[in-house]
Amino acid sequence: MKNEEVMETLKKNLIVSCQALEDEPLHSSFIMGRMALAAKEGGASGIRANTAEDITEIKKIVDLPVIGIIKKEYPDSNVYITPTMDEIDALVQSGAEIIALDATLRMRPKETELNDFFKKVKEKYPKQMFMADIATTEEAENAEKLGFDFVGTTLHGYTENTKDQNIADDDFKFLKDVMASVSVPVIAEGKIDTPEKAKRVLELGVFCVVVGGAITRPQLITKTFSDKIKEV
């Protein structure tokens, strides 16, 4: 799928994050492929997926654009979403239309700074589209300067300097601030756990919206019910 087609397909639509880590019950490329099919049948226009193996399987099942990531922990860095060139290489080979990576200002593995790292990435893969997973408006502005195609609010509330913050606070004030600070398409992602929130961010003008755990993590969904029942 050409970049222009990807943009048109995702614009003002829903992306479903189909991920299951090794310690989760649904961890399986086969299951993630079926999950992606269920998402498509439910109306999703794109998929966000973790690992080259899952992406390869998903692409056998659905013809939707994929935002690809690889979550990998390194002992010398807190960055774990597509942290090094090894993960970039694998995602390019998987055929992911968009590659997302941690674009916070935190130091990457081997004391590598984002700006130096992404310059090398763009030199190696000039035609590949990239999404910046950010936590602050400063990081969003930096990502735009570096040449990212999209900015996503994925890490807001998950980094040390944004801990305990929620994207939905004060009618999505952070999201509004990000959209006001950059001109590249903004993807709303992170803690968007109801249809009403997804609708609201699109009303505010985001390019598209990613929903994950509220759709694709049944153990977490079940817990919300069981916790509420225990109050009886």
Side-chain angles (χ1 to χ4, degrees):
M1 189 179 291
K2 295 181 179 179
N3 290 357
E4 296 80 8
E5 294 175 299
V6 172
M7 298 286 287
E8 188 62 31
T9 299
L10 297 181
K11 188 176 182 180
K12 297 299 178 185
N13 282 319
L14 172 68
I15 297 170
V16 173
S17 182
C18 298
Q19 300 180 42
L21 300 177
E22 291 183 6
D23 61 344
E24 295 183 86
L26 300 187
H27 178 67
S28 160
S29 294
F30 172 78
I31 293 174
M32 287 303 102
R34 307 310 291 184
M35 187 73 79
L37 178 59
K40 178 183 178 181
E41 291 186 356
S45 295
I47 304 294
R48 178 163 164 134
N50 174 39
T51 78
E53 293 78 12
D54 282 10
I55 294 166
T56 299
E57 179 64 24
I58 287 168
K59 285 193 155 293
K60 294 177 184 176
I61 307 297
V62 300
D63 57 354
L64 300 178
V66 173
I67 299 175
I69 65 171
I70 293 178
K71 291 180 176 177
K72 186 170 181 179
E73 294 184 356
Y74 287 83
D76 59 344
S77 175
N78 289 325
V79 170
Y80 68 94
I81 297 178
T82 320
T84 75
M85 190 68 79
D86 288 343
E87 289 79 49
I88 297 285
D89 292 340
L91 289 168
V92 170
Q93 289 300 313
S94 76
E97 283 81 3
I98 301 168
I99 293 175
L101 59 141
D102 183 315
T104 66
L105 299 179
R106 299 177 294 182
M107 198 66 73
R108 309 182 81 82
K110 297 183 179 179
E111 297 188 350
T112 303
E113 293 185 349
L114 170 68
N115 293 21
D116 295 332
F117 172 70
F118 193 65
K119 180 181 179 181
K120 293 176 182 177
V121 169
K122 286 293 287 182
E123 288 173 353
K124 190 171 185 179
Y125 300 110
K127 296 182 180 180
Q128 175 70 49
M129 288 196 290
F130 292 95
M131 172 179 172
D133 288 349
I134 58 90
T136 68
T137 53
E138 178 188 6
E139 291 163 354
E141 292 167 357
N142 185 60
E144 180 174 41
K145 291 175 183 176
L146 292 177
F148 279 89
D149 301 279
F150 308 90
V151 165
T153 55
T154 317
L155 292 171
H156 183 70
Y158 295 98
T159 59
E160 190 62 33
N161 58 334
T162 64
K163 191 166 58 176
D164 299 326
Q165 296 179 28
N166 192 308
I167 188 177
D169 289 345
D170 199 12
D171 191 29
F172 297 94
K173 181 181 183 304
F174 172 71
L175 184 61
K176 295 173 184 174
D177 290 343
V178 171
M179 287 190 292
S181 66
V182 299
S183 57
V184 295
V186 174
I187 298 177
E189 180 174 6
K191 302 177 183 177
I192 299 174
D193 51 10
T194 68
E196 291 75 21
K197 289 179 183 179
K199 177 174 179 284
R200 180 57 179 153
V201 297
L202 287 169
E203 289 173 344
L204 291 174
V206 299
F207 181 74
C208 59
V209 57
V210 177
V211 178
I215 295 174
T216 57
R217 282 199 163 102
Q219 74 275 27
L220 299 180
I221 299 168
T222 302
K223 191 174 186 302
T224 63
F225 281 87
S226 62
D227 286 351
K228 182 59 67 174
I229 288 171
K230 289 174 184 175
E231 297 174 8
V232 176

